[in-house]
């Protein structure tokens, strides 16, 4: 077991203490440690949170320069790290046989039904509450990175509204204007307490 620290901007006084399990995912653990030491993850965004199940940190698109052997059963490699709260895995590459070291997944709940599909290689052992705080401050997005909103255009973050391409993906100016108007009306109702 090796140890590493991850620090998120705004949480410098509460670095995440991480145990890295090189025995069950040696290639993944070694690549992660090298990237941490090089500062690769410094300043990388939390760009996706899915229904309080997990959040993703790093590059938003697959980076072929960072592909490594996927150390999980679907790649015929045994990995005993179960995907539960606090476990860190690398994102899967599009081919399903490799991991993309440029993008990390931090599991926020027990998702052990995904065991064998992702290379779990580490676990947060101290200051996990930073992840929960970041999740509260981050808007949820779908797989195309579009912000998820309710019928009033409010995101999953209280009092933050969104519309247009950020919600629908690329669309027409007319649709964006309509979404903006709908969000403005919802904001007005909220401010008036209706």
């Amino acid at each position: 077991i090796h140890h590493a620290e991850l620090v998120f901007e705004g949480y410098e006084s509460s670095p995440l203490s991480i145990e890295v399990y090189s025995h069950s995912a040696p290639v993944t653990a070694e690549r992660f440690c090298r990237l941490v030491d090089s500062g690769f993850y410094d300043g990388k965004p939390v760009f996706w949170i899915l229904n309080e199940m997990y959040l993703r940190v790093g590059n938003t698109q697959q980076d072929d320069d960072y592909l490594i052997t996927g150390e999980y059963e679907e790649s015929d490699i045994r990995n005993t790290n179960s995907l539960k709260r606090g476990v860190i895995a690398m994102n899967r590459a599009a081919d399903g046989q490799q991991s993309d070291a440029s993008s990390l997944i931090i599991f926020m709940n027990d998702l052990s039904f995904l065991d064998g599909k992702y290379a779990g290689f580490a676990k947060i052992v101290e200051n996990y509450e930073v992840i929960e705080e970041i999740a509260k401050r981050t808007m949820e997005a779908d797989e195309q990175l579009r912000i998820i909103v309710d019928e009033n255009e409010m995101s999953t973050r209280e009092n933050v509204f969104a519309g247009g391409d950020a919600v629908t993906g690329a669309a027409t100016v007319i649709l964006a204007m309509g979404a903006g108007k709908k969000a403005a009306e919802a904001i007005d109702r909220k401010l008036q307490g209706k």
Side-chain angles (χ1 to χ4, degrees), residues 6-12 16 46 55 57 106 130-131 134:
L6 279 181
V7 179
F8 286 93
E9 187 175 326
Y11 299 92
E12 291 81 0
L16 301 181
V46 172
L55 58 82
V57 177
I106 301 175
V130 168
I131 297 302
I134 290 170

Side-chain angles (χ1 to χ4, degrees), residues 20-29 68-84 87-90 99 107 112 114-122:
V20 181
Y21 304 119
S22 55
H23 62 282
S24 55
V27 173
T28 306
I68 60 173
T69 301
E71 293 178 301
Y72 41 85
E73 290 190 26
E74 285 193 359
S75 292
D76 297 323
I77 297 175
R78 189 164 192 277
N79 182 331
T80 58
N81 295 324
S82 189
L83 304 174
K84 296 183 177 181
V87 169
I88 302 173
M90 288 188 177
S99 291
F107 291 88
S112 55
L114 293 173
D115 288 355
K117 299 179 185 305
Y118 291 87
F121 67 92

Side-chain angles (χ1 to χ4, degrees), residues 93-182:
D95 69 4
Q97 299 298 306
Q98 300 180 87
S99 291
D100 179 4
S102 75
S103 177
L104 303 176
I105 299 172
I106 301 175
F107 291 88
M108 299 174 65
N109 272 303
D110 182 349
L111 298 181
S112 55
F113 67 91
L114 293 173
D115 288 355
K117 299 179 185 305
Y118 291 87
F121 67 92
K123 181 171 176 132
I124 298 168
V125 294
E126 191 175 317
N127 290 327
Y128 177 82
E129 62 276 1
V130 168
I131 297 302
E132 293 170 333
E133 183 62 30
I134 290 170
K136 287 180 199 169
R137 294 176 163 206
T138 305
M139 294 177 283
E140 290 188 26
D142 66 13
E143 291 189 23
Q144 286 76 44
L145 302 180
R146 296 176 302 204
I147 298 170
I148 296 171
V149 296
D150 65 14
E151 65 280 356
N152 294 312
E153 306 293 321
M154 187 161 54
S155 72
T156 54
R157 188 168 170 200
E158 183 70 23
N159 297 323
V160 176
F161 294 80
D165 291 357
V167 173
T168 63
T172 67
V173 172
I174 301 298
L175 290 175
M177 289 170 52
K181 180 180 181 208
K182 186 176 176 183

